[in-house]
Amino acid sequence: MSLIEAEALARAREADEARQESARSAELLASAVADVDGLLQAAENERNALIEQNEEQARQMAERLQQQQAMMDEAFERQQAMERRLNEQQRLLEAKLDEQRQQYEARVAQLEHRVSQSPAPSPRPPRTSADEERVKTWRGGGGGP
């Protein structure tokens, strides 16, 4: 083998090694690109999952707030109804009390009128010892009042 042939053979080997190295580099690059694409896809999937989770949480929170508002509105309406009933009861009691006061005043006026129309009462005779004994017996034989 001549020197030229040996040199050509060496260059052919170098070119073949360079092609193989280039092919390995291309495979590594393709693998790296695939890994990056996979990572990007996983990140996008995680991002979408987090967005969906946040939207669901926001929807649930909105529902809970709506339910709480409805319960507060209902409690307020019940309180208002109770206040109306209590006010009505108070009004009725005040009216009844006013009626009773008027009846009492009318009765007092009637009794005062009777007293003013009746003759003066005769004076009571003083108590006797027999009266005192009857009072003691009536009270159960005990002493004073």
Side-chain angles (χ1 to χ4, degrees):
M1 177 181 312
S2 74
L3 188 58
I4 294 178
E5 287 176 342
E7 197 174 303
L9 186 61
R11 284 191 180 156
R13 275 189 213 138
E14 286 177 6
D16 191 39
E17 287 175 7
R19 273 192 303 276
Q20 288 176 0
E21 184 65 30
S22 179
R24 280 193 299 270
S25 293
E27 286 175 9
L28 288 175
L29 182 59
S31 175
V33 166
D35 288 347
V36 168
D37 281 345
L39 291 172
L40 287 174
Q41 186 61 46
E44 181 68 19
N45 291 344
E46 185 176 344
R47 178 182 166 273
N48 289 339
L50 288 173
I51 288 172
E52 288 176 16
Q53 183 181 9
N54 285 343
E55 288 173 349
E56 179 63 20
Q57 287 175 345
R59 185 188 64 73
Q60 289 175 355
M61 186 178 292
E63 284 178 7
R64 281 193 301 268
L65 288 173
Q66 189 177 23
Q67 290 171 351
Q68 288 174 348
Q69 183 64 44
M71 288 182 349
M72 288 173 57
D73 290 346
E74 185 179 315
F76 181 74
E77 288 175 16
R78 282 194 312 265
Q79 179 183 0
Q80 292 293 313
M82 186 182 300
E83 286 179 11
R84 284 191 296 273
R85 283 192 307 272
L86 289 174
N87 288 340
E88 180 63 17
Q89 286 177 350
Q90 181 178 357
R91 187 189 66 74
L92 291 172
L93 288 173
E94 286 174 353
K96 187 173 185 177
L97 181 63
D98 199 35
E99 180 183 330
Q100 288 177 347
R101 181 187 51 78
Q102 290 172 359
Q103 289 174 355
Y104 172 78
E105 288 174 354
R107 180 73 174 141
V108 167
Q110 182 184 33
L111 291 174
E112 287 175 348
H113 179 70
R114 278 190 193 169
V115 167
S116 69
Q117 297 299 317
S118 66
S122 57
R124 242 171 109 162
R127 278 191 177 174
T128 63
S129 57
D131 291 336
E132 291 296 326
E133 285 303 316
R134 273 197 315 268
V135 168
K136 284 181 186 177
T137 305
W138 177 74
R139 288 190 180 154

